[in-house]
Amino acid sequence: MNEAFTTRIVTAPQPGGPQALSVEEITLDPPARGEILIRVVAAGVNRPDVIERMGFYPPPPGAPKGLGLEVSGAVLALGEGVNGFDIGQQVCALVAGGGYADIARAPAGSVLPVPESVDFVAAAGLPETVFTVWTNVFEAGALKPGERFLVHGGSSGIGTTAIQMAKAHGAVVIATAGTPDKCEACRRLGADHVFNYREDDWVEGVKVSGGADVILDMVGGDYVAKNLAVLNRFGRLVQIAFLKGSRVEVDLMGLMLKRQTLTGSTLRARSHEEKAALAQAVRAHVWPWVEAGKVRPLIDSTFALAEVAKAHERMDSMAHAGKILLVP
Ligand SMILES: NC(=O)c1ccc[n+]([C@@H]2O[C@H](COP(=O)([O-])OP(=O)(O)OC[C@H]3O[C@@H](n4cnc5c(N)ncnc54)[C@H](OP(=O)(O)O)[C@@H]3O)[C@@H](O)[C@H]2O)c1
């Protein structure tokens, strides 16, 4: 079938603030071999989208046009060689771009069935954070049950997912956040120790509580030295962003003496094959936690696609806790 589809997408032709976002209509080619077209029910808004809007995060080569890294929706069309999906099936997917849309294009390997326990719209808030947390905390960080896990930005999309996944795995969870309400949100999700980084000395607090074996950090800057200071012997520090800067001066003597590991990764630029392997790991290890209600997307707010600038204003305001969604 060579049916062509039209869809709205969102671009930022001139990088800038939320008003730089533009909704345009394009014609989509039919799905290529190995691809699935998804009739979008909701799309997740992520911090990387904001960075892309500002012109600092160019999409990888071959990515679909437009912003948006995750969707939930119904299977609309299957490319050649795609097996295991039915037209109309409820799915959620990690996409390399073009998720803010009526129709999104995803490699079949990055598409997963919506867990029965999760609302169809809310499922759009799962892929980006679950994939990121799994690969960084569980693969790179090798978090084990009983270990102590520290996540900064505990009320962020990533943080709310990381707290729940680490708890489901049996870790002791420590989180930092910037307001009393956000700290309370972390506690409600199961964090055992929570520090308001604007008021508390979180370095001292984490040390007194027993340190951390694995740290997931998006802050960088002066947090790199502080993280290494609270990281236990054989501890792993995993960087997924550097909101306070990636150029730092740090004394690495402790890293050697405590035999610590410093690592990090990005998700978007990975190959289809790497993402497919990750999707299988997520399906095997995280989907059962989701089905059991131990991990669920925490939804902050939902905006219509035509109001995408308002959704980005909300994210820019840093007032949100959990995920912001767009609905076409
Ligand atoms: N490497 C990867 O593959 C990958 C994938 C996805 C996301 N990410 C990154 O992960 C981060 C979170 O993404 P998201 O979509 O979950 O974004 P988000 O919900 O907007 O979260 C950003 C968080 O950063 C915290 N933060 C900002 N400045 C801070 C500072 N100076 N000190 C301490 N905390 C600070 C905020 O905490 P408060 O509001 O409490 O201040 C907020 O919770 C982003 O930086 C994103 O780029 C990386």
Side-chain angles (χ1 to χ4, degrees):
M1 185 172 63
N2 275 328
E3 191 182 350
F5 300 95
T6 58
T7 180
R8 290 173 297 166
I9 58 165
V10 177
T11 59
Q14 298 298 326
Q19 300 310 325
L21 295 170
S22 158
V23 180
E24 56 181 278
E25 192 161 298
I26 61 167
T27 301
L28 276 178
D29 291 333
R33 186 174 178 78
E35 276 186 346
I36 296 179
L37 293 189
I38 299 169
R39 171 77 66 192
V40 175
V41 163
V45 176
N46 293 282
R47 180 71 39 192
D49 307 342
V50 169
I51 302 169
E52 182 175 347
R53 184 200 76 208
M54 294 163 76
F56 301 122
Y57 190 31
K65 190 176 177 195
L67 271 69
L69 300 175
E70 60 183 347
V71 299
S72 62
V75 172
L76 179 65
L78 301 170
E80 266 183 51
V82 177
N83 298 308
F85 292 96
D86 299 318
I87 300 294
Q89 185 180 346
Q90 296 190 358
V91 294
C92 57
L94 189 72
V95 294
Y100 298 1
D102 304 299
I103 300 171
R105 174 183 295 280
S110 297
V111 181
L112 288 171
V114 172
E116 271 182 24
S117 59
V118 178
D119 174 80
F120 196 12
V121 168
L126 285 172
E128 176 72 10
T129 58
V130 167
F131 279 53
T132 299
V133 172
W134 180 261
T135 192
N136 288 289
V137 176
F138 292 82
E139 291 183 338
L143 181 69
K144 297 180 201 59
E147 284 194 318
R148 304 177 60 80
F149 170 64
L150 167 62
V151 59
H152 295 295
S155 68
S156 65
I158 293 282
T160 53
T161 303
I163 290 170
Q164 297 179 80
M165 285 171 59
K167 279 306 282 184
H169 191 52
V172 176
V173 176
I174 310 161
T176 67
T179 68
D181 284 353
K182 289 182 175 186
C183 289
E184 189 47 38
C186 296
R187 280 188 204 96
R188 276 199 303 273
L189 290 170
D192 300 282
H193 307 276
V194 183
F195 300 99
N196 180 338
Y197 69 84
R198 294 185 210 275
E199 293 175 357
D200 307 328
D201 180 349
W202 66 264
V203 173
E204 189 56 22
V206 175
K207 273 187 188 164
V208 168
S209 79
D213 301 303
V214 176
I215 302 176
L216 182 67
D217 184 44
M218 59 188 70
V219 182
D222 62 327
Y223 273 43
V224 176
K226 291 175 177 176
N227 283 332
L228 290 173
V230 303
L231 196 61
N232 291 335
R233 201 167 138 85
F234 299 115
R236 290 82 74 196
L237 167 57
V238 189
Q239 292 294 156
I240 55 164
F242 293 94
L243 291 166
K244 281 177 93 174
S246 58
R247 288 174 181 270
V248 296
E249 191 174 310
V250 56
D251 183 350
L252 290 175
M253 186 62 75
L255 178 136
M256 181 176 74
L257 296 176
K258 292 206 270 178
R259 299 164 72 175
Q260 298 164 331
T261 301
L262 170 57
T263 185
S265 77
T266 60
L267 182 61
R268 192 180 188 186
R270 295 187 192 192
S271 68
H272 292 334
E273 291 73 23
E274 286 176 304
K275 287 177 184 167
L278 192 45
Q280 288 314 309
V282 162
R283 190 169 185 167
H285 300 287
V286 187
W287 255 216
W289 291 337
V290 178
E291 293 287 7
K294 293 180 180 174
V295 175
R296 60 191 167 79
L298 180 73
I299 306 304
D300 172 84
S301 46
T302 304
F303 296 84
L305 184 67
E307 296 194 325
V308 62
K310 285 189 179 160
H312 272 229
E313 277 165 16
R314 173 95 185 139
M315 181 153 269
D316 283 3
S317 76
M318 286 284 187
H320 66 290
K323 301 286 304 195
I324 300 169
L325 301 181
L326 289 171
V327 291

